Amino acid sequence: MQNFKDVCGQESVVWFEVQPSDCEKFLKWAKDLGCVWLSGTKINFREPIKFTHFSINNEGKLGIIPISTWASKQTEFQNIKRYEFCEFVSL
């Protein structure tokens, strides 16, 4: 079974683009990897989250990426590995 360290590999953080219809699947997958929210709270499914861009760092912290950051041309964001969740994982 994969964990968040397998997903990140040598990277400090990786980003995922998730289709709105796959958001719950993504969050379940991230939870199964051992991820928690940046705040340290466990991932739960009480409230639906309909964001489409997420980060996972090599410490297993899951965050939401604003679309302005995802689309940013700033050099600090250009070298971050980005994946489409539906292509990264067989759904």
Side-chain angles (χ1 to χ4, degrees):
M1 182 169 162
Q2 267 189 330
N3 66 30
F4 59 85
K5 290 182 182 185
D6 297 325
V7 172
C8 289
Q10 298 298 314
E11 305 296 323
S12 61
V13 65
V14 293
W15 288 1
F16 285 91
E17 183 170 36
V18 179
Q19 296 299 316
S21 61
D22 291 333
C23 189
E24 190 172 326
K25 291 177 188 176
F26 174 80
L27 293 175
K28 182 181 179 338
W29 175 78
K31 183 176 182 175
D32 290 345
L33 291 176
C35 294
V36 295
W37 287 110
L38 286 173
S39 65
T41 59
K42 292 181 180 180
I43 298 168
N44 65 52
F45 304 97
R46 283 182 264 163
E47 296 178 25
I49 296 175
K50 294 294 182 186
F51 292 96
T52 57
H53 298 95
F54 295 87
S55 66
I56 297 176
N57 72 18
N58 60 5
E59 296 177 350
K61 303 287 180 143
L62 176 68
I64 296 170
I65 302 171
I67 189 65
S68 59
T69 302
W70 180 272
S72 174
K73 301 292 184 198
Q74 292 179 337
T75 55
E76 65 188 292
F77 302 127
Q78 293 303 305
N79 294 325
I80 296 174
K81 287 202 178 211
R82 299 167 189 230
Y83 300 103
E84 288 192 37
F85 177 62
C86 63
E87 292 177 6
F88 190 83
V89 177
S90 298
L91 297 177

Coordinates of all heavy atoms in Angstrom, one line a residue:
M1 N 0.8 -1.2 0.0 CA 0.0 0.0 0.0 C 0.9 1.2 0.0 O 1.9 1.3 0.7 CB -0.9 0.0 1.2 CG -1.8 1.1 1.3 SD -3.1 0.9 2.6 CE -3.6 2.5 2.8
Q2 N 0.5 2.2 -0.8 CA 1.2 3.5 -0.9 C 1.0 4.3 0.4 O 0.1 4.2 1.1 CB 0.7 4.3 -2.0 CG 1.4 4.2 -3.3 CD 0.9 5.2 -4.3 OE1 -0.2 5.7 -4.3 NE2 1.8 5.6 -5.2
N3 N 2.0 5.2 0.7 CA 1.8 6.2 1.7 C 2.3 7.5 1.1 O 2.7 7.6 -0.1 CB 2.6 5.9 3.0 CG 4.1 5.9 2.9 OD1 4.6 6.6 2.1 ND2 4.7 5.1 3.6
F4 N 2.1 8.6 1.8 CA 2.4 9.9 1.3 C 3.9 10.1 0.9 O 4.2 10.8 -0.1 CB 2.0 11.1 2.2 CG 2.6 11.0 3.6 CD1 3.9 11.6 3.8 CD2 2.0 10.4 4.6 CE1 4.5 11.5 5.0 CE2 2.6 10.3 5.9 CZ 3.9 10.9 6.1
K5 N 4.8 9.4 1.5 CA 6.2 9.5 1.1 C 6.4 8.9 -0.3 O 7.2 9.4 -1.0 CB 7.1 8.8 2.2 CG 7.1 9.6 3.5 CD 8.0 8.9 4.5 CE 8.0 9.7 5.8 NZ 8.9 9.3 6.8
D6 N 5.7 7.8 -0.6 CA 5.7 7.3 -2.0 C 5.2 8.2 -3.0 O 5.8 8.3 -4.1 CB 4.9 6.0 -2.1 CG 5.4 4.9 -1.1 OD1 6.6 4.8 -0.9 OD2 4.6 4.1 -0.6
V7 N 4.2 9.0 -2.7 CA 3.6 9.9 -3.6 C 4.6 11.1 -3.8 O 4.8 11.5 -5.0 CB 2.2 10.4 -3.1 CG1 1.7 11.6 -3.9 CG2 1.2 9.3 -3.0
C8 N 5.2 11.6 -2.8 CA 6.1 12.7 -2.9 C 7.4 12.3 -3.5 O 8.1 13.2 -4.2 CB 6.3 13.4 -1.6 SG 4.8 14.3 -1.0
G9 N 7.9 11.1 -3.2 CA 9.2 10.7 -3.7 C 10.3 11.7 -3.1 O 10.3 11.9 -1.9
Q10 N 11.1 12.2 -3.9 CA 12.2 13.1 -3.5 C 11.7 14.6 -3.4 O 12.5 15.5 -3.0 CB 13.4 13.1 -4.5 CG 14.0 11.7 -4.5 CD 14.5 11.3 -3.2 OE1 15.2 12.0 -2.5 NE2 14.2 10.0 -2.8
E11 N 10.5 14.9 -3.8 CA 9.9 16.2 -3.8 C 9.5 16.6 -2.4 O 9.0 15.7 -1.6 CB 8.7 16.3 -4.7 CG 9.0 15.9 -6.2 CD 10.1 16.8 -6.8 OE1 10.1 18.0 -6.6 OE2 10.9 16.2 -7.6
S12 N 9.5 17.9 -2.0 CA 9.0 18.3 -0.7 C 7.5 18.5 -0.8 O 6.9 18.4 0.3 CB 9.7 19.7 -0.3 OG 9.4 20.7 -1.3
V13 N 7.0 18.7 -2.0 CA 5.5 18.8 -2.1 C 5.1 18.5 -3.6 O 5.9 18.7 -4.5 CB 5.0 20.2 -1.8 CG1 5.6 21.3 -2.7 CG2 3.5 20.3 -1.6
V14 N 4.0 17.9 -3.7 CA 3.4 17.7 -5.0 C 2.0 18.2 -5.0 O 1.3 18.3 -4.0 CB 3.4 16.2 -5.4 CG1 4.8 15.7 -5.6 CG2 2.6 15.3 -4.5
W15 N 1.5 18.6 -6.2 CA 0.2 19.2 -6.3 C -0.7 18.3 -7.2 O -0.2 17.6 -8.1 CB 0.2 20.6 -7.0 CG 0.8 21.7 -6.1 CD1 1.3 21.5 -4.9 CD2 1.0 23.0 -6.5 NE1 1.7 22.8 -4.4 CE2 1.5 23.7 -5.4 CE3 0.7 23.7 -7.7 CZ2 1.8 25.1 -5.4 CZ3 1.0 25.1 -7.7 CH2 1.5 25.7 -6.6
F16 N -2.0 18.3 -6.9 CA -3.0 17.5 -7.6 C -4.1 18.4 -8.1 O -4.6 19.2 -7.3 CB -3.6 16.4 -6.7 CG -2.6 15.3 -6.5 CD1 -1.7 15.3 -5.4 CD2 -2.6 14.2 -7.4 CE1 -0.8 14.2 -5.2 CE2 -1.7 13.2 -7.2 CZ -0.8 13.2 -6.1
E17 N -4.5 18.1 -9.3 CA -5.8 18.7 -9.8 C -6.8 17.6 -9.8 O -6.6 16.5 -10.3 CB -5.6 19.2 -11.2 CG -6.8 19.9 -11.8 CD -6.5 20.6 -13.1 OE1 -5.7 20.1 -13.9 OE2 -7.1 21.7 -13.3
V18 N -8.0 17.9 -9.2 CA -9.0 16.9 -9.0 C -10.3 17.4 -9.6 O -10.7 18.6 -9.4 CB -9.2 16.7 -7.5 CG1 -10.3 15.7 -7.2 CG2 -7.9 16.3 -6.8
Q19 N -11.0 16.5 -10.3 CA -12.3 16.9 -10.9 C -13.2 17.0 -9.7 O -13.2 16.2 -8.8 CB -12.7 15.8 -11.9 CG -11.9 15.7 -13.1 CD -11.9 17.0 -13.9 OE1 -12.9 17.6 -14.1 NE2 -10.7 17.4 -14.3
P20 N -14.2 18.0 -9.8 CA -15.1 18.1 -8.6 C -15.8 16.8 -8.3 O -16.1 16.5 -7.1 CB -16.1 19.2 -9.1 CG -15.3 20.0 -10.1 CD -14.4 19.0 -10.8
S21 N -16.1 16.0 -9.3 CA -16.9 14.8 -9.0 C -16.0 13.7 -8.3 O -16.5 12.7 -7.7 CB -17.4 14.2 -10.3 OG -16.3 13.9 -11.2
D22 N -14.7 13.9 -8.3 CA -13.7 13.0 -7.7 C -13.2 13.5 -6.4 O -12.3 12.9 -5.8 CB -12.5 12.7 -8.6 CG -12.9 11.9 -9.9 OD1 -13.9 11.2 -9.8 OD2 -12.2 12.1 -10.9
C23 N -13.7 14.6 -5.9 CA -13.1 15.2 -4.7 C -13.2 14.3 -3.5 O -12.2 14.1 -2.7 CB -13.8 16.5 -4.4 SG -13.1 17.5 -3.1
E24 N -14.3 13.6 -3.3 CA -14.5 12.7 -2.1 C -13.5 11.5 -2.3 O -12.9 11.1 -1.3 CB -15.9 12.3 -2.0 CG -16.1 11.5 -0.7 CD -17.6 11.2 -0.4 OE1 -18.5 12.0 -0.8 OE2 -17.9 10.2 0.2
K25 N -13.4 11.0 -3.5 CA -12.4 9.9 -3.7 C -11.0 10.3 -3.4 O -10.2 9.6 -2.8 CB -12.5 9.4 -5.2 CG -13.8 8.7 -5.5 CD -13.9 8.4 -7.0 CE -15.2 7.9 -7.4 NZ -15.4 7.6 -8.8
F26 N -10.7 11.6 -3.8 CA -9.3 12.1 -3.6 C -9.1 12.2 -2.1 O -8.0 11.8 -1.6 CB -9.1 13.4 -4.3 CG -7.8 14.1 -3.9 CD1 -6.6 13.7 -4.5 CD2 -7.7 15.0 -2.9 CE1 -5.4 14.2 -4.2 CE2 -6.5 15.6 -2.5 CZ -5.3 15.2 -3.2
L27 N -10.0 12.7 -1.4 CA -9.8 12.9 0.1 C -9.7 11.5 0.8 O -8.9 11.4 1.7 CB -11.0 13.7 0.7 CG -11.0 15.2 0.2 CD1 -12.2 15.9 0.8 CD2 -9.7 15.9 0.7
K28 N -10.5 10.6 0.4 CA -10.4 9.2 0.9 C -9.1 8.6 0.6 O -8.4 8.1 1.5 CB -11.5 8.3 0.4 CG -11.5 6.9 1.0 CD -12.6 6.0 0.5 CE -12.5 4.6 1.1 NZ -11.3 4.1 1.6
W29 N -8.6 8.8 -0.6 CA -7.3 8.3 -1.0 C -6.2 9.0 -0.2 O -5.3 8.3 0.4 CB -7.1 8.6 -2.5 CG -5.7 8.2 -3.1 CD1 -5.3 7.0 -3.4 CD2 -4.7 9.2 -3.4 NE1 -4.0 7.1 -3.9 CE2 -3.6 8.4 -3.9 CE3 -4.6 10.5 -3.3 CZ2 -2.4 9.0 -4.3 CZ3 -3.4 11.1 -3.7 CH2 -2.3 10.4 -4.2
A30 N -6.2 10.3 0.0 CA -5.3 11.0 0.8 C -5.3 10.5 2.3 O -4.2 10.3 2.9 CB -5.5 12.5 0.7
K31 N -6.5 10.3 2.8 CA -6.6 9.8 4.2 C -6.0 8.5 4.3 O -5.2 8.2 5.2 CB -8.0 9.8 4.6 CG -8.3 9.4 6.0 CD -9.7 9.5 6.4 CE -9.9 9.1 7.9 NZ -11.3 9.3 8.3
D32 N -6.2 7.6 3.3 CA -5.6 6.2 3.3 C -4.1 6.3 3.2 O -3.4 5.3 3.7 CB -6.2 5.4 2.2 CG -7.7 5.0 2.4 OD1 -8.2 5.2 3.6 OD2 -8.3 4.6 1.4
L33 N -3.6 7.3 2.6 CA -2.1 7.5 2.5 C -1.5 7.9 3.8 O -0.3 7.8 4.0 CB -1.7 8.6 1.5 CG -2.0 8.3 0.0 CD1 -1.6 9.5 -0.8 CD2 -1.2 7.1 -0.5
G34 N -2.4 8.3 4.8 CA -1.9 8.8 6.1 C -1.8 10.3 6.2 O -1.2 10.8 7.1
C35 N -2.4 11.0 5.2 CA -2.4 12.4 5.3 C -3.3 13.0 6.3 O -4.4 12.4 6.6 CB -2.7 13.0 3.9 SG -1.5 12.7 2.6
V36 N -3.0 14.2 6.8 CA -3.9 15.0 7.6 C -3.9 16.4 7.0 O -3.0 16.7 6.2 CB -3.5 15.0 9.1 CG1 -3.6 13.7 9.7 CG2 -2.1 15.6 9.2
W37 N -4.9 17.2 7.4 CA -4.9 18.6 6.9 C -3.7 19.4 7.5 O -3.1 19.0 8.5 CB -6.2 19.3 7.4 CG -7.4 18.9 6.6 CD1 -8.4 18.1 7.1 CD2 -7.7 19.1 5.3 NE1 -9.3 17.9 6.2 CE2 -8.9 18.5 5.0 CE3 -7.0 19.8 4.2 CZ2 -9.5 18.5 3.7 CZ3 -7.6 19.8 3.0 CH2 -8.9 19.2 2.8
L38 N -3.3 20.5 6.9 CA -2.2 21.3 7.3 C -2.3 21.6 8.8 O -1.2 21.8 9.5 CB -2.1 22.6 6.5 CG -1.6 22.4 5.0 CD1 -1.7 23.7 4.3 CD2 -0.1 21.9 5.0
S39 N -3.5 21.8 9.3 CA -3.7 22.2 10.7 C -3.4 21.0 11.6 O -3.4 21.1 12.8 CB -5.1 22.6 10.9 OG -6.0 21.6 10.6
G40 N -3.3 19.8 11.0 CA -3.1 18.6 11.8 C -4.3 17.8 12.1 O -4.3 16.7 12.7
T41 N -5.5 18.3 11.7 CA -6.7 17.6 11.9 C -6.9 16.5 10.9 O -6.4 16.6 9.8 CB -8.0 18.6 11.9 OG1 -8.0 19.2 10.6 CG2 -7.9 19.6 12.9
K42 N -7.6 15.5 11.3 CA -7.9 14.3 10.5 C -8.8 14.7 9.3 O -9.7 15.6 9.5 CB -8.5 13.2 11.3 CG -7.6 12.6 12.3 CD -8.2 11.5 13.0 CE -7.3 10.9 14.0 NZ -7.9 9.7 14.7
I43 N -8.7 14.1 8.2 CA -9.6 14.3 7.1 C -10.9 13.5 7.4 O -10.8 12.4 7.7 CB -8.9 13.7 5.8 CG1 -7.6 14.5 5.5 CG2 -9.9 13.8 4.6 CD1 -6.8 13.8 4.4
N44 N -12.0 14.3 7.3 CA -13.3 13.6 7.6 C -14.2 14.1 6.4 O -13.9 14.9 5.6 CB -13.8 14.0 8.9 CG -14.2 15.4 9.1 OD1 -14.9 16.0 8.3 ND2 -13.7 16.0 10.2
F45 N -15.4 13.5 6.4 CA -16.3 13.7 5.3 C -17.6 14.2 5.8 O -18.6 14.1 5.1 CB -16.5 12.4 4.5 CG -15.2 11.8 4.1 CD1 -14.5 10.8 4.8 CD2 -14.6 12.3 2.9 CE1 -13.3 10.3 4.4 CE2 -13.4 11.8 2.5 CZ -12.7 10.8 3.2
R46 N -17.6 15.0 6.9 CA -18.9 15.5 7.4 C -19.4 16.7 6.5 O -20.5 16.8 6.3 CB -18.7 16.0 8.8 CG -18.7 14.9 9.8 CD -18.6 15.5 11.2 NE -17.1 15.4 11.5 CZ -16.5 16.0 12.5 NH1 -17.2 16.8 13.2 NH2 -15.2 15.9 12.6
E47 N -18.4 17.5 6.0 CA -18.8 18.6 5.1 C -18.2 18.3 3.8 O -17.0 18.1 3.7 CB -18.3 19.9 5.7 CG -18.9 20.2 7.1 CD -18.3 21.5 7.6 OE1 -17.8 22.4 6.8 OE2 -18.3 21.7 8.8
P48 N -19.0 18.4 2.7 CA -18.4 18.2 1.4 C -17.5 19.4 1.0 O -17.7 20.5 1.3 CB -19.7 18.3 0.5 CG -20.7 18.9 1.3 CD -20.4 18.7 2.7
I49 N -16.3 19.0 0.5 CA -15.3 19.9 0.0 C -15.3 19.8 -1.5 O -15.1 18.8 -2.1 CB -14.0 19.6 0.6 CG1 -14.0 19.8 2.1 CG2 -12.9 20.5 0.0 CD1 -12.8 19.4 2.9
K50 N -15.5 20.9 -2.2 CA -15.5 20.9 -3.6 C -14.4 21.8 -4.2 O -14.6 22.6 -5.2 CB -16.9 21.4 -4.1 CG -18.0 20.5 -3.8 CD -17.9 19.2 -4.5 CE -19.1 18.3 -4.1 NZ -18.9 16.9 -4.7
F51 N -13.2 21.7 -3.7 CA -12.1 22.4 -4.3 C -11.4 21.4 -5.3 O -11.7 20.2 -5.3 CB -11.1 22.8 -3.2 CG -11.6 23.8 -2.3 CD1 -12.2 23.5 -1.1 CD2 -11.5 25.2 -2.7 CE1 -12.7 24.5 -0.3 CE2 -12.0 26.1 -1.8 CZ -12.6 25.8 -0.6
T52 N -10.6 22.0 -6.2 CA -10.1 21.2 -7.3 C -8.5 21.1 -7.3 O -8.0 20.4 -8.1 CB -10.6 21.7 -8.6 OG1 -10.2 23.0 -8.8 CG2 -12.1 21.5 -8.8
H53 N -7.9 21.8 -6.4 CA -6.4 21.8 -6.4 C -5.9 21.6 -4.9 O -6.3 22.4 -4.0 CB -5.9 23.1 -7.0 CG -6.3 23.3 -8.4 ND1 -7.4 24.1 -8.7 CD2 -5.8 22.8 -9.5 CE1 -7.5 24.0 -10.1 NE2 -6.6 23.3 -10.6
F54 N -5.1 20.6 -4.8 CA -4.6 20.2 -3.5 C -3.1 20.0 -3.5 O -2.5 19.7 -4.5 CB -5.2 18.9 -3.0 CG -6.7 19.0 -2.8 CD1 -7.6 18.8 -3.8 CD2 -7.2 19.3 -1.5 CE1 -9.0 18.8 -3.7 CE2 -8.6 19.3 -1.4 CZ -9.5 19.1 -2.4
S55 N -2.5 20.2 -2.3 CA -1.0 19.8 -2.2 C -0.9 18.7 -1.1 O -1.7 18.7 -0.2 CB -0.2 21.1 -1.8 OG -0.6 21.5 -0.5
I56 N 0.1 17.9 -1.3 CA 0.5 16.9 -0.3 C 2.0 17.1 -0.1 O 2.8 17.1 -1.1 CB 0.2 15.5 -0.7 CG1 -1.3 15.3 -0.9 CG2 0.8 14.5 0.3 CD1 -1.7 13.9 -1.4
N57 N 2.4 17.4 1.1 CA 3.9 17.5 1.3 C 4.5 16.2 1.9 O 3.8 15.3 2.2 CB 4.2 18.7 2.2 CG 3.8 18.6 3.6 OD1 3.6 17.5 4.2 ND2 3.7 19.7 4.3
N58 N 5.8 16.2 2.0 CA 6.5 15.0 2.4 C 6.4 14.7 3.9 O 7.0 13.7 4.4 CB 8.0 15.0 1.9 CG 8.7 16.2 2.5 OD1 8.2 16.9 3.4 ND2 10.0 16.3 2.1
E59 N 5.6 15.5 4.6 CA 5.2 15.2 6.0 C 3.8 14.7 6.1 O 3.3 14.5 7.2 CB 5.4 16.5 6.8 CG 6.9 16.9 6.9 CD 7.0 18.2 7.7 OE1 6.0 18.8 8.0 OE2 8.2 18.6 7.9
G60 N 3.1 14.5 4.9 CA 1.8 14.0 5.0 C 0.7 15.1 5.2 O -0.4 14.7 5.7
K61 N 1.0 16.3 5.0 CA 0.1 17.4 5.2 C -0.6 17.7 3.9 O 0.0 17.9 2.9 CB 0.8 18.7 5.8 CG 1.6 18.4 7.0 CD 0.7 18.2 8.2 CE 1.5 18.0 9.5 NZ 1.0 18.6 10.6
L62 N -1.9 17.8 4.0 CA -2.8 18.1 2.8 C -3.3 19.5 2.9 O -3.7 19.9 4.0 CB -4.0 17.1 2.8 CG -5.0 17.3 1.8 CD1 -4.5 17.0 0.4 CD2 -6.3 16.4 2.1
G63 N -3.2 20.2 1.8 CA -3.6 21.6 1.8 C -4.4 21.9 0.5 O -4.4 21.1 -0.5
I64 N -5.2 22.9 0.6 CA -6.0 23.4 -0.6 C -5.2 24.5 -1.3 O -4.7 25.4 -0.6 CB -7.4 23.9 -0.2 CG1 -8.2 22.7 0.4 CG2 -8.1 24.5 -1.3 CD1 -9.4 23.2 1.1
I65 N -5.0 24.4 -2.6 CA -4.3 25.4 -3.3 C -5.3 26.4 -4.0 O -6.1 25.9 -4.8 CB -3.4 24.8 -4.4 CG1 -2.4 23.8 -3.7 CG2 -2.7 25.8 -5.2 CD1 -1.7 23.0 -4.7
P66 N -5.2 27.7 -3.8 CA -6.1 28.6 -4.5 C -5.8 28.6 -6.0 O -4.6 28.4 -6.4 CB -5.7 30.0 -3.9 CG -5.0 29.7 -2.6 CD -4.3 28.3 -2.8
I67 N -6.7 28.8 -6.8 CA -6.6 28.8 -8.2 C -5.5 29.8 -8.7 O -4.8 29.6 -9.6 CB -7.9 28.9 -9.0 CG1 -7.7 28.7 -10.5 CG2 -8.5 30.3 -8.8 CD1 -7.3 27.3 -10.9
S68 N -5.5 30.9 -8.0 CA -4.5 32.0 -8.3 C -3.1 31.5 -8.1 O -2.2 31.9 -8.9 CB -4.7 33.2 -7.5 OG -4.6 32.9 -6.1
T69 N -2.8 30.6 -7.2 CA -1.5 30.1 -6.9 C -1.2 29.0 -8.0 O -0.1 28.9 -8.6 CB -1.4 29.5 -5.5 OG1 -1.7 30.5 -4.6 CG2 0.0 28.9 -5.3
W70 N -2.2 28.1 -8.3 CA -2.1 27.1 -9.3 C -1.7 27.7 -10.6 O -0.8 27.2 -11.3 CB -3.4 26.3 -9.4 CG -3.3 25.2 -10.4 CD1 -3.6 25.2 -11.7 CD2 -2.9 23.8 -10.1 NE1 -3.4 24.0 -12.3 CE2 -3.0 23.1 -11.4 CE3 -2.5 23.1 -9.0 CZ2 -2.7 21.8 -11.5 CZ3 -2.2 21.8 -9.1 CH2 -2.3 21.1 -10.4
A71 N -2.3 28.8 -11.0 CA -2.1 29.4 -12.3 C -0.9 30.4 -12.3 O -0.6 31.0 -13.3 CB -3.4 30.1 -12.8
S72 N -0.3 30.7 -11.1 CA 0.7 31.7 -11.0 C 1.9 31.4 -11.9 O 2.3 30.2 -12.1 CB 1.1 31.8 -9.5 OG 2.2 32.6 -9.4
K73 N 2.5 32.4 -12.4 CA 3.7 32.4 -13.2 C 5.0 32.6 -12.3 O 6.1 32.6 -12.9 CB 3.7 33.4 -14.3 CG 2.5 33.2 -15.3 CD 2.6 31.9 -16.1 CE 1.5 31.9 -17.1 NZ 1.3 30.5 -17.6
Q74 N 4.8 32.7 -11.0 CA 5.9 33.0 -10.2 C 6.8 31.7 -10.2 O 6.4 30.6 -10.1 CB 5.5 33.2 -8.7 CG 4.8 34.6 -8.6 CD 4.4 34.8 -7.1 OE1 4.2 33.9 -6.3 NE2 4.2 36.1 -6.8
T75 N 8.2 32.0 -10.2 CA 9.1 30.9 -10.4 C 9.1 29.9 -9.2 O 9.3 28.7 -9.4 CB 10.5 31.5 -10.5 OG1 10.8 32.3 -9.4 CG2 10.7 32.3 -11.8
E76 N 8.7 30.4 -8.0 CA 8.7 29.5 -6.9 C 7.6 28.4 -7.0 O 7.7 27.3 -6.4 CB 8.4 30.2 -5.6 CG 7.0 30.9 -5.5 CD 6.9 31.8 -4.4 OE1 6.8 31.3 -3.2 OE2 6.8 33.0 -4.6
F77 N 6.6 28.6 -7.9 CA 5.6 27.6 -8.1 C 5.8 26.8 -9.4 O 5.1 25.8 -9.6 CB 4.2 28.2 -8.2 CG 3.9 29.0 -6.9 CD1 3.5 30.3 -7.0 CD2 4.0 28.4 -5.7 CE1 3.2 31.0 -5.8 CE2 3.7 29.1 -4.5 CZ 3.3 30.4 -4.6
Q78 N 6.7 27.2 -10.3 CA 6.8 26.6 -11.6 C 7.4 25.2 -11.6 O 7.1 24.4 -12.4 CB 7.6 27.5 -12.5 CG 6.9 28.8 -12.9 CD 5.5 28.5 -13.5 OE1 5.4 27.8 -14.5 NE2 4.5 29.1 -12.9
N79 N 8.2 24.9 -10.6 CA 8.9 23.6 -10.6 C 8.3 22.5 -9.7 O 8.8 21.5 -9.5 CB 10.4 23.8 -10.1 CG 11.2 24.6 -11.2 OD1 10.9 24.4 -12.4 ND2 12.1 25.4 -10.7
I80 N 7.1 22.9 -9.2 CA 6.4 21.9 -8.4 C 5.7 20.8 -9.3 O 5.1 21.2 -10.2 CB 5.3 22.6 -7.5 CG1 6.0 23.5 -6.5 CG2 4.4 21.6 -6.8 CD1 5.0 24.4 -5.7
K81 N 5.9 19.6 -8.9 CA 5.3 18.5 -9.7 C 3.8 18.6 -9.6 O 3.3 18.7 -8.5 CB 5.8 17.1 -9.3 CG 7.2 16.9 -9.8 CD 7.5 15.4 -9.8 CE 8.9 15.3 -10.3 NZ 9.2 14.1 -11.0
R82 N 3.1 18.5 -10.7 CA 1.7 18.5 -10.7 C 1.1 17.3 -11.4 O 1.6 16.9 -12.4 CB 1.2 19.8 -11.5 CG 1.7 21.1 -10.8 CD 1.5 22.3 -11.8 NE 2.2 23.4 -11.3 CZ 1.6 24.6 -11.1 NH1 0.4 24.8 -11.5 NH2 2.3 25.6 -10.7
Y83 N 0.1 16.8 -10.8 CA -0.6 15.6 -11.4 C -2.1 15.8 -11.5 O -2.7 16.6 -10.7 CB -0.4 14.4 -10.4 CG 1.1 14.0 -10.2 CD1 1.7 14.4 -9.0 CD2 1.8 13.4 -11.2 CE1 3.0 14.0 -8.8 CE2 3.1 13.0 -11.0 CZ 3.7 13.4 -9.8 OH 5.1 13.0 -9.6
E84 N -2.7 15.1 -12.4 CA -4.1 15.0 -12.5 C -4.5 13.8 -11.7 O -4.0 12.7 -12.0 CB -4.6 15.0 -13.9 CG -4.5 16.3 -14.6 CD -5.3 16.3 -15.9 OE1 -6.4 15.7 -16.0 OE2 -4.8 17.0 -16.8
F85 N -5.3 13.9 -10.7 CA -5.6 12.8 -9.9 C -6.2 11.6 -10.7 O -5.8 10.5 -10.4 CB -6.7 13.2 -8.8 CG -7.1 12.1 -7.9 CD1 -6.2 11.4 -7.1 CD2 -8.4 11.7 -7.9 CE1 -6.6 10.4 -6.3 CE2 -8.9 10.7 -7.0 CZ -7.9 10.0 -6.2
C86 N -7.0 11.8 -11.6 CA -7.6 10.8 -12.4 C -6.6 10.0 -13.2 O -6.8 8.8 -13.5 CB -8.8 11.3 -13.3 SG -8.3 12.4 -14.5
E87 N -5.5 10.6 -13.6 CA -4.4 10.0 -14.3 C -3.4 9.3 -13.3 O -2.8 8.3 -13.7 CB -3.7 10.9 -15.2 CG -4.6 11.4 -16.3 CD -3.9 12.4 -17.2 OE1 -2.7 12.7 -17.1 OE2 -4.6 12.9 -18.1
F88 N -3.3 9.9 -12.2 CA -2.3 9.4 -11.2 C -2.8 8.1 -10.5 O -2.0 7.2 -10.3 CB -2.1 10.4 -10.1 CG -0.9 10.1 -9.2 CD1 0.4 10.4 -9.6 CD2 -1.1 9.6 -8.0 CE1 1.4 10.2 -8.7 CE2 -0.1 9.3 -7.1 CZ 1.2 9.6 -7.5
V89 N -4.1 8.0 -10.3 CA -4.6 6.8 -9.7 C -5.8 6.3 -10.6 O -6.6 7.0 -11.1 CB -5.3 7.2 -8.3 CG1 -6.0 6.1 -7.6 CG2 -4.2 7.8 -7.4
S90 N -5.8 5.0 -10.7 CA -6.9 4.4 -11.4 C -8.2 4.4 -10.6 O -8.2 3.9 -9.5 CB -6.6 2.9 -11.7 OG -5.4 2.8 -12.5
L91 N -9.1 5.2 -11.1 CA -10.4 5.3 -10.4 C -11.4 4.2 -10.7 O -11.7 3.8 -11.6 CB -11.0 6.7 -10.7 CG -10.2 7.9 -10.3 CD1 -10.8 9.2 -10.8 CD2 -10.0 7.9 -8.8

